[in-house]
Amino acid sequence: MARRAADGDASESTLSALETVVDDLASAYPRTAPAELVGHVQRHLTYVEALLDARMTLAERRRLIVIGGWLSLLAATCDIDLHHRPAATARLRTAAALADQAGHTEILAWCLETEAWQALTDGDHRRALDLAQAAQRVAPRTGSAFIQATAQEGRAWARLGAGAETRDALARVERLVTPLAMPDRPEHHYRYDPAKSDAYTATTLAWVGDPAAEPYARGVLARLESDGPPRPRRAASARLDLALALIASDRPEEAAHTALEAVTSGRLVPSNYWRAAEIITAVEYVPAAGELREAFRDLCASSRLQDHGAAGPG
């Protein structure tokens, strides 16, 4: 790929290879540390940039721009995971600009949905709601971005404490997901896996304090640990969902132990730390809270050291 980029080769085989790489990298997202994945994504973005100066047809150029849009979006997602906000913002703008240039509304909708997720992790719930609804207006109705944005809307409503609106969004997601078949690559970040809806339901119901979140969370965790390829990052996140659900069911001691498994798994990314912090606050009066708080403090310290090392001197 590097040689072809250096030679200015934008042939069919090169474009097809890059499209395959996009799918491979998006499928690696659930099981790869974001600091590692973003390096692979950036390397291929460099290839795409080099190829933009090659001679090609309009159709070939559009394919290359679409590839660049997906890669920029995935890089932005990794940056959000790592709390590298300026880089994430710049890459989201690049992805949106490329999507607009190519007339690719699915990528544009994913950009808005990703911004909604970032706003949610920042605690800006009203902005998250506005962005999720904007993504739905842009997204093709048959694409994965429309479903994901609807689920994100439900999470934003839940954080705003709007129970009726939350359940309405969950019902819409269920109607969208029910007729879907399992995709060939369910781990692909931009292809909606119907099983994801249960995970989002667990999180969303837990946030509105509904005890019904618990069976959803247990079912999601059981599937992640028994079916298909390993997805340890999703499993760690599912443990946080279960801990929240256990808090909603007034079982704080079990919630603390479940959250401790997530915190010590080595698979939580910085964009999930705020969720762990909320659980710690909710269970601070139980005996297991001290161990959980200490483990979380170690996790945050380790993350800061890794981030400083990745930045390098100067």
Side-chain angles (χ1 to χ4, degrees):
M1 190 79 69
R3 179 183 57 76
R4 287 174 174 175
D7 292 342
D9 177 9
S11 64
E12 169 64 30
S13 61
T14 301
L15 293 172
S16 294
L18 279 168
E19 287 165 343
T20 298
V21 164
V22 167
D23 287 336
D24 289 344
L25 291 172
S27 298
Y29 175 78
R31 62 178 185 272
T32 307
E36 176 186 347
L37 185 61
V38 75
H40 297 307
V41 176
Q42 181 57 54
R43 188 156 54 250
H44 287 88
L45 276 168
T46 301
Y47 300 159
V48 169
E49 185 177 359
L51 287 171
L52 283 171
D53 292 329
R55 295 183 63 181
M56 65 189 86
T57 67
L58 287 175
E60 289 168 341
R61 184 167 297 278
R62 182 183 183 277
R63 285 174 69 185
L64 189 61
I65 289 170
V66 168
I67 290 164
W70 283 122
L71 289 172
S72 296
L73 175 60
L74 183 56
T77 304
C78 293
D79 284 327
I80 293 170
D81 280 334
L82 295 165
H83 273 196
H84 295 166
R85 297 307 168 85
T89 298
R91 282 172 160 153
L92 278 174
R93 287 175 180 165
T94 298
L98 292 172
D100 186 60
Q101 187 175 345
H104 201 293
T105 53
E106 179 78 2
I107 294 177
L108 190 57
W110 273 111
C111 289
L112 290 166
E113 188 280 334
T114 303
E115 279 193 82
W117 169 51
Q118 183 174 13
L120 200 66
T121 64
D122 288 342
D124 193 346
H125 307 136
R126 176 57 62 176
R127 183 167 181 267
L129 176 63
D130 292 342
L131 286 164
Q133 291 175 334
Q136 291 170 67
R137 290 192 293 272
V138 169
R141 292 299 185 267
T142 56
S144 293
F146 185 77
I147 304 173
Q148 183 72 14
T150 306
Q152 206 67 271
E153 178 191 343
R155 298 211 299 179
W157 280 124
R159 296 299 288 180
L160 289 165
E165 290 85 350
T166 298
R167 289 174 177 81
D168 174 70
L170 288 175
R172 282 184 277 133
V173 172
E174 184 175 3
R175 288 195 296 272
L176 291 166
V177 168
T178 298
L180 289 183
M182 182 67 68
D184 292 339
R185 302 177 80 167
E187 68 276 15
H188 195 298
H189 190 59
Y190 301 112
R191 293 179 191 165
Y192 199 87
D193 170 9
K196 272 186 184 179
S197 65
D198 283 349
Y200 273 84
T201 298
T203 307
T204 306
L205 290 177
W207 280 346
V208 290
D210 191 330
E214 184 185 344
Y216 279 101
R218 290 194 185 279
V220 169
L221 187 57
R223 281 195 298 274
L224 286 171
E225 295 187 330
S226 62
D227 298 340
R231 285 171 278 186
R233 280 180 56 194
R234 287 191 186 175
S237 182
R239 281 189 165 80
L240 293 182
D241 288 336
L242 179 55
L244 281 170
L246 290 166
I247 291 168
S249 299
D250 197 25
R251 290 151 68 188
E253 186 74 29
E254 188 178 352
H257 286 293
T258 302
L260 181 63
E261 290 184 72
V263 168
T264 57
S265 69
R267 295 294 183 169
L268 284 186
V269 295
S271 61
N272 267 329
Y273 288 1
W274 66 277
R275 298 178 61 200
E278 286 193 342
I279 293 167
I280 292 169
T281 300
V283 303
E284 61 182 358
Y285 57 90
V286 303
E291 184 180 1
L292 174 58
R293 191 181 304 108
E294 186 64 29
F296 183 62
R297 189 179 297 118
D298 291 344
L299 174 65
C300 293
S302 174
S303 179
R304 285 193 294 270
L305 285 173
Q306 289 175 12
D307 194 47
H308 179 73

